[in-house]
Amino acid sequence: MRKSETSNSNDGPSYQAPRYRPNVPAAVVCALLGAYLTSALVAYDPAQSKFHTSNPVLKNPMGWIGAETVHGLLLGVGVSTWLIPAFLIWLLVVSVRSSKHLTGTRIIAMIIAIASSASLATMAMDARSDYFPAGAGGLTVAAFFAVWALAMLA
């Protein structure tokens, strides 16, 4: 019988990397905010907001806070509002599976992605409606272009 080349019977590496514990508080916050915002977005109708009428006749299942939050987000970032719940659910997955990767740079990248998609939505379609009061890109794009114009003048 042939002698083995090594006396180590383990097939894996000799050192196991440390496993990071899940970031439970971040996971809970992301899960609650993601579920709340998703339900408020799905059930949103412009007639639920006090911006359109002083006495809204329709009710959002998430209450007046949900309706006003969605209205503010649609006014601010337009179509990109739909990315926010997706990013919150993704942050939930990251905080549970590999909490080491839940960093500020990832969140900043998500904010940049939301602003960029708002700009792209403005270029693709700029239709103002009750659902998108400031257009498909929202006021974020208008503020960005105003800052850009001021910088070009300086």
Side-chain angles (χ1 to χ4, degrees), residues 32-44 48 58-70:
L32 290 176
L33 284 177
Y36 185 83
L37 189 56
T38 301
S39 351
L41 266 169
V42 168
Y44 179 72
Q48 297 169 345
L58 297 176
K59 301 289 181 195
N60 193 305
M62 296 294 115
W64 66 271
I65 295 175
E68 296 302 326
T69 300
V70 170

